[in-house]
């Protein structure tokens, strides 16, 4: 984890200097190019695929959510700012065995719903390959902190033969929320955006996250569909 964190911090600090004189994909347009002092506010809908663990024991989750990001242009090529991300999805649940601890009687306890939520905040940067164009490619990078929570809804039903005769269909539900883990997270990716006007833009951004949460190394591939405003 420290190796990945070191790589991201290095890129955040030194990428602008390394690429300052590079004119990749340069293509001027009639719309106003990115300039120093611009403020970018963007956000959108994301779909993520999270892998927890490795090998045959790995579990996979599909979660959906979004992000909001505000960045400041230190130069035409380099933005720096903050981002908040929220993801939420349903996981597969496993039945709980018979047990007398629910309602004082033998019961069948099943997982009715299992919701997995992720909240995270990042210090983010991005490097623009072609800031003078209205069709831009860029590299987003981020380092931050992630918090995971799991909320499970259990459905409790009496075991066969254990319910009182006058209440054969008795059952109830209850929720149990628990912290699933938190820790440092880093991500990198590739983005493309298009200026609809001098101030309104849209685009797609593919991102790859690595984070350690609850002692487990996890990975996530995410695709963000975004809209934004640039001053």
């Amino acid at each position: 984890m420290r190796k990945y964190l070191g790589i991201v911090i290095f890129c955040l600090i030194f990428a602008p200097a390394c690429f300052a004189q590079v004119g990749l994909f340069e293509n001027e347009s009639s719309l106003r190019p990115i300039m120093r002092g611009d403020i970018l506010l963007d956000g959108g809908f994301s779909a993520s695929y999270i892998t927890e663990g490795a090998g045959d024991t790995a579990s996979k989750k599909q979660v959906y959510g979004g992000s909001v990001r505000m960045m400041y242009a230190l130069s035409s090529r380099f933005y720096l700012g903050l981002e908040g991300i929220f993801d939420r999805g349903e996981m597969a649940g496993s039945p709980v065995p018979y047990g007398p601890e629910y309602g004082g009687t033998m019961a069948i306890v099943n997982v009715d719903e299992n919701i997995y939520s992720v909240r995270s905040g990042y210090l983010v940067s991005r490097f623009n390959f072609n800031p003078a164009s209205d069709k831009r490619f860029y590299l987003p990078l981020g380092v931050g902190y992630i918090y995971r929570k799991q909320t499970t809804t259990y459905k409790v039903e009496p075991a066969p033969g254990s319910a009182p005769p006058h209440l054969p269909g008795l059952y109830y539900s209850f929720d149990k929320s628990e912290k699933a883990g938190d820790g440092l997270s880093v991500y990198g990716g590739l983005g493309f955006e298009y200026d609809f006007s001098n101030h309104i833009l849209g685009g797609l951004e593919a991102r790859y996250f690595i984070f350690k949460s609850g002692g487990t190394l996890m990975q996530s591939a995410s695709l963000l569909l975004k809209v934004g405003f640039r001053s």
Side-chain angles (χ1 to χ4, degrees):
M1 186 66 187
R2 291 179 180 176
K3 177 179 71 175
Y4 295 116
L5 181 60
I7 291 173
V8 171
I9 292 175
F10 177 87
C11 292
L12 286 170
I13 296 174
F14 294 107
C18 294
F19 293 103
Q21 304 303 319
V22 178
L24 296 177
F25 305 107
E26 203 67 60
N27 180 25
E28 294 186 3
S29 73
S30 58
L31 296 178
R32 184 177 68 81
I34 294 175
M35 298 185 296
R36 180 178 179 179
D38 280 357
I39 294 176
L40 173 65
L41 177 63
D42 66 2
F45 173 80
S46 65
S48 302
Y49 189 72
I50 298 176
T51 301
E52 179 176 355
D56 295 337
T57 60
S59 61
K60 300 175 177 63
K61 311 169 183 69
Q62 289 180 328
V63 298
Y64 303 92
S67 68
V68 176
R69 178 172 49 195
M70 184 171 67
M71 308 185 79
Y72 177 81
L74 298 177
S75 69
S76 63
R77 293 189 182 275
F78 187 65
Y79 278 107
L80 187 65
L82 298 172
E83 180 178 19
I85 300 176
F86 176 77
D87 291 308
R88 180 181 174 90
E90 186 170 357
M91 300 165 51
S94 302
V96 180
Y98 290 94
E101 64 272 23
Y102 301 100
T105 183
M106 295 294 290
I108 301 174
V109 184
N110 288 302
V111 174
D112 194 36
E113 188 179 51
N114 206 8
I115 299 299
Y116 176 93
S117 61
V118 180
R119 300 176 180 88
S120 51
Y122 293 87
L123 172 65
V124 292
S125 71
R126 84 174 229 188
F127 174 78
N128 299 306
F129 286 114
N130 48 338
S133 175
D134 58 356
K135 303 177 185 67
R136 288 181 296 277
F137 288 95
Y138 63 90
L139 293 177
L141 295 167
V143 56
Y145 196 80
I146 192 167
Y147 173 83
R148 298 190 300 134
K149 187 178 76 169
Q150 183 175 322
T151 302
T152 306
T153 301
Y154 294 98
K155 183 179 180 181
V156 183
E157 301 180 79
S162 66
H166 60 288
L167 294 173
L170 176 67
Y171 73 90
Y172 63 95
S173 298
F174 67 94
D175 294 337
K176 180 181 179 182
S177 295
E178 56 189 354
K179 178 180 175 181
D182 55 3
L184 290 177
S185 174
V186 297
Y187 80 79
L190 177 65
F192 172 79
E193 67 183 16
Y194 175 77
D195 288 337
F196 295 105
S197 70
N198 283 331
H199 302 291
I200 305 298
L201 56 89
L204 285 172
E205 188 173 312
R207 300 185 285 190
Y208 183 74
F209 296 78
I210 297 176
F211 55 99
K212 197 167 186 179
S213 180
T216 302
L217 184 64
M218 306 181 71
Q219 304 168 67
S220 174
S222 176
L223 184 64
L224 174 71
L225 175 63
K226 69 169 192 174
V227 294
F229 173 83
R230 180 163 62 91
S231 65

